[in-house]
């Protein structure tokens, strides 16, 4: 196995394959394996990105590969064979390119401890109000343990029925729960506060699926595309329309890609990011392991355009808050300055920015 540099810029030395390469080998095996075995290979391929350390290091320390998530005895034997006799690993197809492993993210963040220490919050997560597994309280408690100043609850809006999207009435009821949670946090002397937000479902024309009056009462609004995500033709127009939508301040998981499942959309990204910068809106790095969207090369383009960046784990349970490391590492590798990342703002600064974006957009609308 020759020395090489992978697409994320990590220098890969000759020797046992890293988790990134193991993920690709597992995905390749899944393509020719029988049904139930193929599912095991595919599942392990995805989970390889979450392994906390390199598989080779685990073996070197005398532990079993079955300690790794989604690795049973059979897969452990297969992976051990690759570690003992490293195969040539072909370049992944685009469907599986540009995803950091957790081990890589940890490698990056180990050299930048201040990023974790100074991070103020997480700006995308779901609760049992839509398709999440944790309550508002459970997500808040997990965030408090991480030392956060704030989290944004972004349950799905009503148009996304498959994900349990909530309507305006449910959003009002959720507001009472969040207010109670914040009161309890304050009474307990905790600095964490829960921000009211939503993952607004955008149609291909950039229009949202909730009443503007309801959205105006939220602390900030994340807008995302969830339909027509496999189109091959250029989709720049839909992104520009979405950014001009006065109801949103953050454009979430912009490309719409999912590991080994969907490539997502294509656009004139410098033009898209240029408009976001002009409007002072943020584009998101969705930190969920299967998304990592924006991917690294697009984060670099967003940085060049002067965009603000938002980090959201897209967590559907408390344990997934750790996914923030994927976004932090990606931003660090792209050289994004902390002052351009929303999550390093104080709560007061973040709310001021959101209000400012709304006011500027209102002025533009009135001026037309």
């Amino acid at each position: 196995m020759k020395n090489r540099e992978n697409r994320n810029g990590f220098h890969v030395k000759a020797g046992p394959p890293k988790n990134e390469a193991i993920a690709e080998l597992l995905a390749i095996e899944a393509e020719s394996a029988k049904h139930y075995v193929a599912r095991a290979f595919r599942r392990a391929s995805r989970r390889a990105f979450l392994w906390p350390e390199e598989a080779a290091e685990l073996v070197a320390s005398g532990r079993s590969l079955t300690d790794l998530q989604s690795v049973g005895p059979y897969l452990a034997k297969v992976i051990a064979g690759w570690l003992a006799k490293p195969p040539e690993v072909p370049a992944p197809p685009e469907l599986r390119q540009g995803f950091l492993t957790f081990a890589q993210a940890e490698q990056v963040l180990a050299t930048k401890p201040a990023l974790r220490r100074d991070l103020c919050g997480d700006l995308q997560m779901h609760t049992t109000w839509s398709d999440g597994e944790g309550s508002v309280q459970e997500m808040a408690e997990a965030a408090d343990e991480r030392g956060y100043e704030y989290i944004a609850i972004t349950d799905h809006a009503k148009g996304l029925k498959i994900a349990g999207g909530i309507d305006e009435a449910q959003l009002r009821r959720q507001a009472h729960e969040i207010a109670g949670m914040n009161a309890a946090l304050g009474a307990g002397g905790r600095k964490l506060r829960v921000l009211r937000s939503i993952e607004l479902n955008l149609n291909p024309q950039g229009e949202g699926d909730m009443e503007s009056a309801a959205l105006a009462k939220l602390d900030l609004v994340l807008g995302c595309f969830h339909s027509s995500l496999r189109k091959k033709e250029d989709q720049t127009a839909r992104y520009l329309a979405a950014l001009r939508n006065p109801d949103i301040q953050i454009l979430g998981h912009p490309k719409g890609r999912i590991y080994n499942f969907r490539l997502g959309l294509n656009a004139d990204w410098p033009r898209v990011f240029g408009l976001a910068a002009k409007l002072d809106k943020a584009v998101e790095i969705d930190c969920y392991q299967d998304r990592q969207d924006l991917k690294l090369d697009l984060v670099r383009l967003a940085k060049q355009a002067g965009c603000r960046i938002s980090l959201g784990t897209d967590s559907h349970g408390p344990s997934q808050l750790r996914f923030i490391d994927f976004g932090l590492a990606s931003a660090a590798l792209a050289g994004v300055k902390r002052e351009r990342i929303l999550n390093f703002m104080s709560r007061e600064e973040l709310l001021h920015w959101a209000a400012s974006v709304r006011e500027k957009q209102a002025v533009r609308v009135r001026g037309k």
Side-chain angles (χ1 to χ4, degrees), residues 101-350:
T101 68
F102 204 73
Q104 288 172 334
E106 295 303 288
Q107 179 184 333
V108 172
L109 297 178
T111 66
K112 301 177 183 295
L115 291 180
R116 281 193 183 117
R117 184 190 66 221
D118 298 340
L119 190 73
C120 293
D122 183 336
L123 295 177
Q124 191 194 164
M125 64 184 64
H126 303 270
T127 72
T128 49
W129 279 91
S130 62
D131 62 343
E133 297 177 355
S135 66
V136 171
Q137 179 177 344
E138 288 169 334
M139 300 305 283
E141 288 174 348
D144 184 61
E145 289 176 3
R146 298 180 71 88
Y148 287 164
E149 184 178 343
Y150 53 80
I151 55 171
I153 298 296
T154 58
D155 281 302
H156 288 289
K158 63 183 180 182
L160 204 64
K161 298 295 185 184
I162 194 172
I166 60 177
D167 61 21
E168 288 83 355
Q170 291 170 303
L171 190 62
R172 288 192 295 272
R173 293 201 297 274
Q174 187 189 64
H176 292 297
E177 182 176 337
I178 289 175
M181 187 71 243
N182 283 333
L185 288 166
R190 307 294 180 87
K191 69 178 179 179
L192 179 80
R193 293 297 181 272
V194 180
L195 303 181
R196 292 187 64 212
S197 186
I198 199 163
E199 185 174 347
L200 189 68
N201 185 45
L202 301 176
N203 67 20
Q205 290 73 48
E207 300 163 334
D209 61 342
M210 297 281 278
E211 296 172 2
S212 293
L215 298 174
K217 296 176 182 178
L218 302 180
D219 294 308
L220 69 165
V221 177
L222 178 78
C224 299
F225 293 114
H226 295 103
S227 60
S228 302
L229 296 178
R230 295 182 184 274
K231 289 185 175 293
K232 303 296 185 184
E233 60 270 23
D234 182 275
Q235 296 292 300
T236 302
R238 79 152 78 176
Y239 287 105
L240 300 181
L243 286 167
R244 293 188 179 109
N245 183 327
D247 291 331
I248 75 167
Q249 294 83 54
I250 302 170
L251 182 63
H253 53 70
K255 189 170 174 61
R257 73 172 187 158
I258 296 178
Y259 176 78
N260 209 20
F261 177 73
R262 186 175 64 220
L263 282 173
L265 301 172
N266 296 309
D268 181 343
W269 294 109
R271 188 178 173 195
V272 171
F273 298 147
L275 180 62
K278 179 180 178 181
L279 298 176
D280 199 27
K281 295 193 175 185
V283 293
E284 183 191 46
I285 302 176
D286 184 309
C287 309
Y288 200 85
Q289 65 164 98
D290 287 350
R291 288 187 180 273
Q292 298 190 42
D293 178 13
L294 297 170
K295 59 180 181 176
L296 184 55
D297 58 349
L298 293 185
V299 179
R300 291 186 173 115
L301 287 178
K303 179 222 173 186
Q304 291 171 13
C307 272
R308 291 192 187 272
I309 298 293
S310 176
L311 304 179
T313 55
D314 204 349
S315 294
H316 286 65
S319 67
Q320 295 176 351
L321 293 182
R322 65 190 177 113
F323 292 174
I324 200 72
D325 286 357
F326 288 116
L328 279 174
S330 184
L333 287 169
V336 181
K337 301 296 184 184
R338 282 173 36 162
E339 56 264 28
R340 302 307 294 169
I341 301 175
L342 300 184
N343 309 63
F344 287 101
M345 291 179 172
S346 69
R347 184 169 63 252
E348 290 74 18
E349 289 169 337
L350 179 66

Side-chain angles (χ1 to χ4, degrees), residues 24-64:
E24 181 57 22
L25 291 168
L26 289 164
I28 292 170
E29 289 294 325
E31 293 170 355
S32 58
K34 292 186 182 297
H35 181 63
Y36 72 95
V37 179
R39 281 190 301 172
F41 276 116
R42 280 194 297 271
R43 183 169 55 250
S45 176
R46 291 176 58 236
R47 292 293 185 264
F49 290 93
L50 283 178
W51 294 344
E53 60 189 307
E54 297 292 348
E57 294 173 4
L58 184 144
V59 170
S61 69
R63 286 170 291 157
S64 171

